[in-house]
Amino acid sequence: MTDSAPRDVIPAPAVPRVPVRGGGTFPVHRIYCVGRNFADHAREMGAAAPASKAERGQPTLFLKPADAIVTGIEVPYPPGTTELHHEIELVVALGRDAPPGALDRDAAQALVFGYGLGLDLTRRDLQAAAKAKGLPWDTGKAFDHSAPVGELLPAAAVGELAARTLSLAVNGSVRQQSRLDLLIWDVPDILVALSRLYALRAGDLVFMGTPAGVAALQPGDECVGRLDDLLELHCRIAPPRV
């Protein structure tokens, strides 16, 4: 009698996982990202910022591969760039599959398992060159080791996000800092928008966008992200891997 089950012809890759405070890990399905979600950063990047919520239009959305996740301290400087930039972001972790169709705000919030901090590392020179030619800028965003993430904290332990302050220090100097009530699109807004385009699943992470102050990183730089005294992200930029 033969085994009719299909067999992998190569070893299956490991599922990327993020630690959860208190124990356990969070297996990652996809990484969604939001661009230009703080008005000061939108202006910093040369884009117009909406004057009111009524003028927001649609959020800028893009993806990173799940295996871009880095959960250790060391983050290698990537190839192909001389302008690696930091972007500190709130990370939203989904603990449930979304029902079919577009969500409303309450149903969207109910999907959230917890929150963490992440760096949307960006090869700014590659992104800028692609933008100038009107081309997709995946090579500037979706590369190996481009998504360092700290431990996740269940949503109930974080509480109301609007009152929280997000910040990033590099080598002890604060470069980015903003209250989360200054997000142009809040967490339910973004999940509703994503649900119109994708089937959201348990295991999805959403990087919510970065405030102004993005700048270059060099090998040896030490980065510390914080959400008040609740969450921290620590990483060190290591030399390029040869």
Side-chain angles (χ1 to χ4, degrees):
M1 187 172 183
T2 59
D3 184 357
S4 60
R7 297 181 179 179
D8 294 335
V9 298
I10 60 171
V15 175
R17 297 175 185 275
V18 176
V20 177
R21 188 179 301 176
T25 60
F26 182 91
V28 178
H29 174 242
R30 287 182 182 165
I31 304 174
Y32 299 99
C33 301
V34 187
R36 303 174 185 174
N37 204 13
F38 284 89
D40 58 357
H41 176 61
R43 290 190 289 266
E44 178 180 55
M45 293 290 101
S52 68
K53 287 199 170 187
E55 299 177 8
R56 292 181 302 177
Q58 296 298 316
T60 299
L61 304 170
F62 59 96
L63 287 86
K64 288 177 181 275
D67 64 1
I69 291 285
V70 180
T71 56
I73 294 293
E74 297 288 327
V75 180
Y77 197 96
T81 184
T82 58
E83 291 183 51
L84 178 67
H85 279 205
H86 57 73
E87 298 189 7
I88 187 66
E89 311 204 2
L90 175 73
V91 175
V92 182
L94 304 190
R96 302 180 186 176
D97 290 355
L103 300 169
D104 61 28
R105 286 179 59 85
D106 289 343
Q109 187 62 48
L111 301 180
V112 176
F113 164 79
Y115 301 102
L117 293 177
L119 280 178
D120 169 15
L121 293 177
T122 302
R123 295 192 281 207
R124 190 72 70 199
D125 45 358
L126 301 190
Q127 184 191 36
K131 283 182 177 180
K133 296 178 181 178
L135 298 173
W137 27 271
D138 302 65
T139 56
K141 289 287 191 178
F143 54 93
D144 296 331
H145 312 109
S146 63
V149 178
E151 68 176 359
L152 300 176
L153 185 61
V158 176
E160 177 58 43
L161 287 173
R164 302 294 181 188
T165 296
L166 177 71
S167 66
L168 179 74
V170 179
N171 300 327
S173 297
V174 175
R175 290 190 181 180
Q176 294 184 265
Q177 184 167 295
S178 180
R179 299 191 318 274
L180 291 180
D181 61 356
L182 296 178
L183 284 165
I184 297 171
W185 290 273
D186 65 14
V187 171
D189 287 337
I190 291 301
L191 296 182
V192 168
L194 284 168
S195 74
R196 296 188 179 119
L197 299 168
Y198 303 98
L200 297 177
R201 297 285 183 248
D204 288 344
L205 297 179
V206 183
F207 280 54
M208 285 293 297
T210 198
V214 302
L217 292 168
Q218 302 297 331
D221 283 346
E222 303 271 354
C223 301
V224 179
R226 289 191 172 88
L227 185 67
D228 292 333
D229 58 353
L230 284 177
L231 289 166
E232 290 191 358
L233 167 65
H234 294 261
C235 68
R236 178 186 307 108
I237 306 301
R241 291 182 177 173
V242 178

